[in-house]
Amino acid sequence: MKVFINKRIPEIGIHMLEDAGLEVFIPEHENLSKDEWLSYCKSNDMILSVGGEFKYDTDFFNECPNIKAIALYSVGFDHVDIKEANQRNIPIGNTPNVLSRATSDVAFLLMQSVARRASYNFEKVKAGNWGDFDPLHALGQELYGKTLGIFGLGRIGFEMAKKSKAAFDMKIIYHNRHQNEEAEKELDAKYVSFDELVSQSDVLSIHANFKQEQKELFNSSVFEKMKENAIFINTARGGFHNQKDLYNALAEHKIWGAGLDVTNPEPIYKEDPILELSSVCVLPHIGSATIEARNGMAKLAAQNLIAFSKGEKMPACANPDVYK
């Protein structure tokens, strides 16, 4: 069976596929047009998909009826039409667990960077504008004993909550589709309604899987209900927030700061005025960007395709119903 990988991944994953007897194809250049991408998909049996610029929708599956399995090099699968994949009996692998710590590290980093205006002050230093001591200039805020609200308390959200509890003794509240008994027991986390999450959080951090019906859920009406000292963190998907509304909320001091590893649109325009605000830190979607996490993702993605090639269930499958 032939595997198409649209971008190079850590060698450990490629070696695993080849050692399992699979034929691996990686294009010489990675900035593929959609037509180029489709032509490669049509000439292979399976895909190890890196990035989310192309959609696996009805049109794709109609054009590529040869595709038997897809392994995503990500946890999120919002660019895949799962219902369509199920109807065609195509398993979709993903990479949960292996990047939970790394991604939560970035959320934790953003929370502290925003709280202490680190990006703004670093830019001052680079510009040679160290300045004299000013007791009132660009003050940050402390996080000790404050309330962390988690939207989507799964694996990554749990790691973020655990760090925040241990470091700053933060109170944990969360909103989920289902209650998280483990978090309630270990972290004394409290399940609340969405409105309570928004109004009670000093830091509100998004860690949910994105669904289309949640597009720009965090908009002006939500930011209006947040605390004036609130810090908004998004390391999940940029589609969760309306970026113009977020800028307005920050510029008008309706909320205090924002830390983003994902933006809307992504990549962010360099002219976006949100980048000029002193209480904002933006990173270029680096949540899983550690050697350990990226190697783990490569291994799990390879394991998913190897299992399929042997007629076995994928160890991490985003659409387990396909096996019914």
Side-chain angles (χ1 to χ4, degrees), residues 103-267:
T103 304
S104 69
D105 285 348
V106 168
F108 190 70
L109 168 68
L110 284 168
M111 177 176 70
Q112 294 178 85
S113 296
V114 172
R116 297 303 299 269
R117 301 183 191 263
S119 293
Y120 168 75
N121 284 297
F122 181 44
E123 290 300 322
K124 282 183 60 181
V125 173
K126 288 200 296 181
N129 185 23
W130 188 287
D132 295 328
F133 175 69
D134 184 341
L136 299 178
H137 179 67
L139 300 183
Q141 59 171 301
E142 297 184 10
L143 298 166
Y144 299 97
K146 297 210 171 155
T147 297
L148 170 66
I150 302 280
F151 181 75
L153 187 53
R155 300 176 184 91
I156 298 172
F158 185 91
E159 290 291 334
M160 172 62 169
K162 186 164 67 171
K163 290 179 176 70
S164 302
K165 181 89 171 170
F168 299 113
D169 193 26
M170 297 183 80
K171 302 178 182 69
I172 310 300
I173 61 175
Y174 73 100
H175 182 73
N176 257 18
R177 287 174 296 170
H178 309 290
Q179 287 187 234
N180 188 324
E181 294 181 1
E182 180 185 6
E184 292 179 4
K185 181 178 179 181
E186 291 192 27
L187 304 175
D188 198 27
K190 180 184 177 185
Y191 178 85
V192 296
S193 69
F194 180 74
D195 285 343
E196 288 174 312
L197 182 83
V198 168
S199 63
Q200 294 177 18
S201 297
D202 296 303
V203 178
L204 199 161
S205 192
I206 303 176
H207 299 284
N209 286 323
F210 180 73
K211 293 190 169 86
Q212 197 59 34
E213 57 265 29
Q214 296 168 315
K215 183 178 180 181
E216 298 187 353
L217 174 64
F218 291 86
N219 52 36
S220 58
S221 64
V222 170
F223 297 132
E224 288 275 357
K225 299 173 185 175
M226 292 175 67
K227 294 182 177 182
E228 288 186 3
N229 72 305
I231 295 172
F232 176 77
I233 305 291
N234 190 359
T235 57
R237 284 290 186 271
F240 272 115
H241 69 263
N242 181 301
Q243 197 138 314
K244 184 177 180 181
D245 288 355
L246 176 59
Y247 169 76
N248 289 335
L250 291 160
E252 295 167 12
H253 305 291
K254 292 177 180 176
I255 65 172
W256 197 83
L260 308 174
D261 189 39
V262 291
T263 58
N264 186 13
E266 190 171 305

